[in-house]
Every structure is written in C-alpha cells, then in structure tokens.
C-alpha cells in the first residue's frame, strides 16, 4: 500500500457522509434544516475545532470576492465557514476520498455547493494553475506530509503574488517521540513532524516571506484537557469529532494532551505570504 493510501485509510474509510448523517439524526439535528453552525462540532476537524478556525480567520487578510485554497480541507468545515463569513469562494483538496465525498455532500446540504468545491488529491501535487488563489491555508495537515518542500512549493506556485499562506500544525517538541495513537497516526507510521524552526526554514526556502510563527501549545493543551474533563463527567457532546476519530478517540485525546505537556509536540500557527 502506498503512503498516500495508508494516510487516507487512517483518516477515513467507508461512507463517512452516512455516518455523519446518522449521528445528526440520532442527536436530533434535522438534515433538512442543518446549518454550518450546527455542523461545526464535527466538521472543524482539528485541535480545538471551531474556535481555532475563528482565531485563524481573524488573523488573515481575507476580502470579499477572493478565491482561496484549503489544502487538506477534511470534510470542509473551515472552508464553508470562511466562504460564508468573507463572501469568498474556497477550493478544497484532500487526500482522503471519503472526506471529499462527505465534504461536497455537506456543502450541498447547507446550500453552499457553489461556494466550496472539494476535490481529491495530494497537497504535494496540486491540480491548479499557477497564481490562481488570493490566499491559502492548511489546518493540521502537514503532520502527514513527508515532502514539505513539494507541499510548500506547490502552495507557493498556485498563490498569486502578495497572497497569504497559513498553516497550523503539531510541530515536533524538544523532547520528540510523541506517544501514539495521536489524531494523525495510530502507531507513528505516516507521521512526519518537524520542529517549528525547521518548518519556518522550509517555508523560507520555498520563497515565502514575513513568516510569523505563534506557539499555540498552551491553548491546545487547555482544549484537550477540557475535552478529557467533559468525557470523564459523561458530558462530552454527542455530535463531536469522536465520530471521525473512531473508537481510539479517548486515548488519542489523552496522548495529544500528554505530548504537549511533555514537550513531545509543539503546536504552532504560522502565517506568511508570497512576495508581491
Ligand atoms: C486533522 S484533519 C484536518 C482537516 C481540515 N483541515 C480541518 O481543519 O477540518 C487532516 C486532514 O489532512 C488530510 N491530508 C493528510 N495528508 C494530506 C496530503 N498530502 N494532501 C492532502 N490532504 C492531506 C487528511 O486526509 C485529513 O483530512
């Protein structure tokens, strides 16, 4: 099996859209009237979920009418949120085919199929023309990307001069060797963490400038600890990312917290831009 296929199988197999629909119905959400706000606990599929997307969006210079690219868009929650909030169009791409199918079905369900289009592919080889987008981002994707120079080089290629590029990721901490399973890998296979300073250097080598690296570790740790606390009290939301994380979800969340506490991972948000 190729690395790409095993990474895709790690994230999602089978009919992910049907699983989300079943979860919606069993938690009393009507698919006929569902809103992007109701989908948010599931479709912002990264550490801290929706609040982290809002914080990233607040920090980005997005204007109405722009065309953005979401590389590793998952089932499309962030793309739908940005498209609605900024009245822009977003093209998403993801390596996990069942997520692509689910993402497009969810966009249709909330009437956003003309604003957000998701296709299947690998961020290391983007299927877009040079200088297509006004901005791009990859939220919690690069932990699975072996060739950062291709990934960043491709992002650089498809962005217009002056466009922003943002990423959030779990970098490798000073101690290294994260405990597994974590959200991006069950046993360490398909995991390619890099120290934040090395990621900054890779972005620089790809041509990006004004590279700002923000440590998000404490915020992510607090988010994981809150999730653990709610689960222990039996108060975790029924409609949540555990639907996508599967049966290992409790262990994954505990390890994600422990890895930050022990400096095995180092979560960061990075914003930079292509020179004008
Ligand atoms: C933690 S999820 C984040 C999804 C989405 N960015 C979000 O924030 O909701 C990681 C996603 O990265 C995707 N991914 C991993 N490696 C990729 C690659 N080389 N190209 C495109 N997508 C990739 C996975 O399929 C998965 O959907």
């Amino acid at each position: 099996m190729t690395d790409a296929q095993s990474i895709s199988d790690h994230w999602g197999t089978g009919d992910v859209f049907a699983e989300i629909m079943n979860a919606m119905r069993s938690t009393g959400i009507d698919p006929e009237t569902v809103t992007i706000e109701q989908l948010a606990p599931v479709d912002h599929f990264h550490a801290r979920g929706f609040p982290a997307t809002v914080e990233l969006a607040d920090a980005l210079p997005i204007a109405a009418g722009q065309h953005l690219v979401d590389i590793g868009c998952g089932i499309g929650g962030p793309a739908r949120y940005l498209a609605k909030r900024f009245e822009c169009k977003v093209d998403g791409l993801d390596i996990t085919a069942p997520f692509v199918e689910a993402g497009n079905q969810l966009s249709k369900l909330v009437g956003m199929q003309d604003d957000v289009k998701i296709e299947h592919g690998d961020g290391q080889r983007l299927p877009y023309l040079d200088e297509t987008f006004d901005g791009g981002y990859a939220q919690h994707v690069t932990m699975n990307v072996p060739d950062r120079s291709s990934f960043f080089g491709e992002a650089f290629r498809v962005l217009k001069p002056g466009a922003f590029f943002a990423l959030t990721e779990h970098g490798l901490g000073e101690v290294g060797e994260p405990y597994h399973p974590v959200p991006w890998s069950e046993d360490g296979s398909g995991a390619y963490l890099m120290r934040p300073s090395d990621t900054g250097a890779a972005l620089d080598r790809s041509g990006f400038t004004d590279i700002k690296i923000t440590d998000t570790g404490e915020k992510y740790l607090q988010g994981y600890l809150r999730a653990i606390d709610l689960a222990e009290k039996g108060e975790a939301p029924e409609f949540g990312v555990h639907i996508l994380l599967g049966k290992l979800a409790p262990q994954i969340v505990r390890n994600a917290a422990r890895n930050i506490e022990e400096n095995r991972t180092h979560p960061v948000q990075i914003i930079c831009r292509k020179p004008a």
Side-chain angles (χ1 to χ4, degrees), residues 197-229:
S197 55
D198 293 336
T199 301
L203 285 162
D204 180 62
R205 279 195 302 277
S206 297
F208 287 105
T209 187
D210 295 337
I211 300 164
K212 288 192 193 65
I213 303 181
T214 307
D215 184 338
T216 48
E218 189 52 35
K219 280 185 185 169
Y220 285 116
L221 176 59
Q222 292 313 319
Y224 287 128
L225 293 177
R226 230 176 358 261
I228 293 168
D229 184 48

Side-chain angles (χ1 to χ4, degrees), residues 1-75:
M1 197 188 292
T2 63
D3 204 28
Q5 188 60 51
S6 57
I7 288 168
S8 163
D9 288 348
H10 166 77
W11 283 109
T13 53
D15 193 341
V16 172
F17 180 63
E19 282 171 36
I20 296 171
M21 292 293 278
N22 289 339
M24 252 190 249
R25 291 193 189 94
S26 69
T27 52
I29 298 172
D30 180 356
E32 295 291 319
T33 59
V34 68
T35 62
I36 65 166
E37 289 76 17
Q38 284 175 305
L39 291 176
V42 171
D43 68 5
H44 291 255
F45 187 29
H46 50 250
R48 284 180 67 232
F50 182 54
T53 306
V54 174
E55 273 175 32
L56 182 65
D58 289 346
L60 297 177
I62 305 174
Q66 286 188 332
H67 191 189
L68 308 181
V69 62
D70 182 337
I71 308 169
C73 63
I75 59 171

Side-chain angles (χ1 to χ4, degrees), residues 87-182:
E87 297 176 4
C88 57
K89 304 264 184 219
V90 185
D91 280 10
L93 174 120
D94 202 279
I95 207 164
T96 302
F99 281 3
V100 173
E101 173 65 17
N104 284 323
Q105 294 282 1
L106 289 170
S107 293
K108 218 183 278 174
L109 207 57
V110 295
M112 293 189 68
Q113 65 274 22
D114 294 333
D115 304 316
V116 175
K117 293 189 192 314
I118 302 179
E119 61 186 288
H120 185 224
D122 185 336
Q124 295 164 113
R125 288 179 298 279
L126 294 176
Y128 311 115
L129 296 176
D130 295 357
E131 301 188 2
T132 300
F133 299 102
D134 301 292
Y137 58 97
Q139 272 187 298
H140 280 77
V141 178
T142 36
M143 296 85 70
N144 284 132
V145 174
D147 184 352
R148 296 290 210 286
S149 59
S150 295
F151 191 91
F152 295 152
E154 279 293 89
F156 189 88
R157 180 183 66 75
V158 302
L159 291 174
K160 294 177 186 169
F164 71 83
F165 182 58
L167 70 117
T168 59
E169 68 171 7
H170 290 266
L172 190 64
E174 286 302 315
V175 173
E177 290 304 311
Y179 299 113
H180 292 96
V182 284

